[in-house]
Amino acid sequence: MAAVTEEQVEAVRALVSSIPAGRVATYGDIADAAGLSSPRIVGWIMRTDSSDLPWHRVITAAGRPAAHLATRQLARLRAEGVLAADGRVPLRGENSVRHAF
DNA sequence: GGGATGACGACCT
DNA sequence: GAGGTCGCCATCC
């Protein structure tokens, strides 16, 4: 009786996989776009089923990835063209898919 | 079966 | 403007 159906998980995976390089998305946006009730579900999916998804393109609403992965995330994002200022990804402008959603 | 934890967000103080 | 608290759903112990 999973409140979150496989379809929801698939939607999240599709959205994350649909994030273009040089752009980042927030957990809240993905959760909302996938129709999830809680952004935590997105994090749960990433942790449980990270598969081949560009999880490094998913950051928190604070514009900063998880503490343990922050270094890894920033390094990858920087390689994709996302310049993080002081370990923070500028969610403002075209850097975030928020506008695309 | 129950409690604590976790890739988070939003609201309140 | 910054920090702390509560709520959210699922998993792990």
Side-chain angles (χ1 to χ4, degrees), chain A residues 12-76:
Chain A
V12 174
R13 290 172 59 185
L15 287 164
V16 176
S17 183
S18 184
I19 301 172
R23 224 168 274 189
V24 291
T26 65
Y27 287 92
D29 283 344
I30 295 172
D32 183 62
L36 293 173
S37 316
S38 166
R40 256 195 151 87
I41 306 298
V42 179
W44 155 65
I45 295 170
M46 302 293 239
R47 185 178 80 161
T48 309
D49 182 38
S50 52
S51 299
D52 301 304
L53 301 175
W55 53 271
H56 55 268
R57 288 183 192 156
V58 184
I59 58 179
T60 72
R64 194 193 138 142
H68 18 256
L69 304 171
T71 308
R72 186 78 82 131
Q73 300 268 73
L74 266 359
R76 282 192 183 207

